[in-house]
Amino acid sequence: MRDRFGEAWDLLFHPPVAHRGLWTPDGAPENSLGAFQAACAAGYGIELDVHLSSDGEAMVFHDNTLARMTGIEGRLRDHTAGELGEMSLKGTDETIPTLVETLALIGHRAMVHIELKTHWGEVGPLERRVHEIIIDHAGPLCIIGFNPYSHAWFADHYPGVLRGLDSFSYKDVKHLSEVERQAYARLEQVAIARPHFLALGLDMLPSERADAYRADGMPVVAWTVRQPEQWEAVKDHCDNLIFEGFHP
């Protein structure tokens, strides 16, 4: 894999990855340019989330709805990129950035884990826009996300993009049946997604199935680690961590 992905493959293992940037409750908000700048300055990798705006732009934001981060009711997907770019994050001077703006800021300074927030049954538009953007980015990056069909889209269309499948226990996921939840908790969706590495929630680590994939050469990244003790408990089964709330 090192021969195929070069520096990006090495950076899967070190340094640790700042979850939604290096944000703090009283400083730069999550998924803001300020949080990404702070992560770069501290020497960490960066994890971020992307959705499509109503006019087809990739916006860096975690939630489907705007209220938690902006105080504005409604869905992100119902607003244009221009409208979203004027919305204040948590009452700060930071606003919702585009993926283009974000990657321009980061440049080659950090490995970027781009999590695609693709809705079920909507694979294609977000993936295409993100690929249009990342082909012009000179720095190391990878695509991550929970939707295995999103990964399959990249595997079929652009297999040269490094991909990591997100998963967790799926105990409270309502859009899947009980049979599907159990199958996904067992990582059976790996066969659909065909990822290069796994990004696994702490609620399913350690995992015998993940250990087997790891033994076959598929790295495992743990998320979201919020205390050093959590990392100590799983680090023998993982290759890196996505963290927040402390400096590993």
Side-chain angles (χ1 to χ4, degrees):
M1 287 293 187
R2 176 61 173 82
D3 292 340
R4 184 175 181 183
F5 296 112
E7 181 185 22
W9 183 258
D10 292 339
L11 292 172
L12 281 181
F13 301 88
H14 186 80
V17 181
H19 187 232
R20 306 178 196 171
L22 198 62
W23 62 276
T24 60
D26 56 353
E30 65 178 59
N31 278 326
S32 68
L33 294 182
F36 302 141
Q37 173 62 32
C40 289
Y44 293 123
I46 292 169
E47 183 269 353
L48 55 82
D49 310 278
V50 291
H51 292 266
L52 275 186
S53 65
S54 64
D55 54 347
E57 189 55 86
M59 307 300 299
V60 179
F61 198 79
H62 177 268
D63 299 355
N64 293 325
T65 55
L66 295 164
R68 181 176 68 89
M69 291 301 298
T70 70
I72 297 171
E73 295 300 322
R75 304 182 302 177
L76 180 144
R77 66 191 302 173
D78 294 331
H79 294 268
T80 66
E83 292 167 345
L84 295 166
E86 295 179 353
M87 295 181 186
S88 171
L89 294 171
K90 290 291 187 179
T92 69
D93 292 335
E94 298 281 353
T95 58
I96 302 174
T98 66
L99 182 60
V100 172
E101 293 169 332
T102 299
L103 293 182
L105 172 78
I106 297 170
H108 203 280
R109 294 184 295 161
M111 170 72 165
V112 185
H113 294 236
I114 302 172
E115 181 176 328
L116 304 187
K117 309 300 280 188
T118 303
H119 298 279
W120 293 86
E122 298 184 7
V123 171
L126 178 58
E127 286 74 15
R128 279 191 291 272
R129 180 56 187 145
V130 168
H131 186 261
E132 289 171 354
I133 295 166
I134 66 175
I135 56 176
D136 291 325
H137 181 61
L141 56 76
C142 61
I143 297 297
I144 62 175
F146 294 90
N147 190 324
Y149 300 98
S150 173
H151 286 275
W153 187 96
F154 266 98
D156 290 339
H157 292 85
Y158 301 104
V161 175
L162 181 61
R163 305 181 308 280
L165 178 67
D166 276 304
S167 193
F168 63 117
S169 68
Y170 282 92
K171 291 178 181 177
D172 299 317
V173 175
K174 294 181 172 55
H175 67 264
L176 298 176
S177 68
E178 180 61 26
V179 171
E180 289 173 320
R181 286 195 293 269
Q182 292 179 9
Y184 278 35
R186 293 192 298 266
L187 295 175
E188 293 180 13
Q189 73 275 35
V190 169
I192 300 170
R194 291 167 279 159
H196 303 111
F197 69 97
L198 298 173
L200 302 183
L202 291 176
D203 62 351
M204 69 175 302
L205 288 170
S207 159
E208 291 184 4
R209 186 68 61 89
D211 286 345
Y213 280 121
R214 188 168 179 246
D216 286 339
M218 187 178 290
V220 172
V221 179
W223 60 268
T224 300
V225 180
R226 294 181 171 88
Q227 298 174 355
E229 296 80 9
Q230 292 176 320
W231 178 235
E232 286 296 320
V234 302
K235 69 178 184 179
D236 291 341
H237 300 269
C238 302
D239 299 285
N240 204 351
L241 68 156
I242 299 173
F243 72 92
E244 69 178 34
F246 74 107
H247 288 248

